[in-house]
Amino acid sequence: MSVRQGGIFGNQQKAQYSKETADLLKGMMKESKLTNFQQRVINDSMKDYNSAKEKERLTDILVFGTDKPLPKPKPMPVAPKPVKDRFDEIQDEIAERRQFLAEMETLGQGEMYRKQIETEISQYIREMEVIDKKRTAELNRMKQTQ
């Protein structure tokens, strides 16, 4: 079990005081000989809470047209991305390699990359041949079972 931020007691809300209660607290503070700092802390906590609560309520009215909580929207189902076929991926890779080699040749550096790119392309072609053989064998099996 994880502990929420704010410790074991969670995020506790400050009490909301009515006007009468706030006036009573002010009177008691004057009588109780609290230091100015202690009185200021108590006054600030009452003001901050009430003004923050009021700001939140007014913001909700502006945004949603009401200060009542709206129902949570249902999550939209996410359509899975279609899985790209490895054969198509290899074709794209080969096209990218050829484009890169063409760019390097226009920059005068084609010789530096030609052997490496041609080797990579030939490896991709070999992989495509293996995929093609597997697909052909699978199709032949499917034809025989019909």
Side-chain angles (χ1 to χ4, degrees):
M1 181 170 105
S2 64
V3 177
R4 286 188 281 164
Q5 184 178 5
I8 224 170
F9 301 106
N11 294 334
Q12 296 181 355
Q13 294 181 349
K14 294 180 183 177
Q16 186 172 358
Y17 302 108
S18 67
K19 176 89 170 113
E20 294 83 21
T21 306
D23 290 339
L24 178 64
L25 282 172
K26 286 179 186 177
M28 290 172 66
M29 284 190 296
K30 288 180 184 177
E31 291 175 10
S32 66
K33 298 182 181 179
L34 293 174
T35 66
N36 286 339
F37 176 74
Q38 291 169 328
Q39 289 180 15
R40 194 170 0 121
V41 169
I42 292 172
N43 284 330
D44 289 347
S45 69
M46 286 191 298
K47 280 190 236 174
D48 288 345
Y49 179 77
N50 291 329
S51 63
K53 207 56 169 159
E54 183 65 13
K55 284 179 188 176
E56 186 178 323
R57 188 182 74 80
L58 293 173
T59 302
D60 287 346
I61 291 172
L62 284 172
V63 172
F64 303 115
T66 180
D67 59 346
K68 294 181 171 66
L70 298 174
K72 293 182 179 178
K74 295 179 181 176
M76 297 294 293
V78 178
K81 290 184 179 179
V83 178
K84 193 168 183 180
D85 185 40
R86 179 65 181 148
F87 200 85
D88 295 333
E89 287 179 7
I90 294 172
Q91 285 179 329
D92 293 343
E93 293 278 340
I94 290 173
E96 286 178 20
R97 298 298 194 277
R98 287 185 175 149
Q99 180 182 357
F100 175 78
L101 185 58
E103 290 174 6
M104 290 299 111
E105 286 176 349
T106 58
L107 295 172
Q109 297 184 2
E111 289 300 319
M112 200 162 115
Y113 293 100
R114 183 171 288 115
K115 286 184 182 181
Q116 179 184 353
I117 299 297
E118 288 176 352
T119 302
E120 289 176 8
I121 290 173
S122 67
Q123 289 172 347
Y124 282 131
I125 291 172
R126 303 271 184 284
E127 188 177 347
M128 291 173 79
E129 289 171 352
V130 170
I131 292 171
D132 187 48
K133 285 181 184 179
K134 287 181 182 177
R135 287 183 181 175
T136 303
E138 188 176 327
L139 284 174
N140 287 336
R141 272 184 277 158
M142 290 173 69
K143 284 182 184 178
Q144 291 174 356
T145 58
Q146 288 181 354

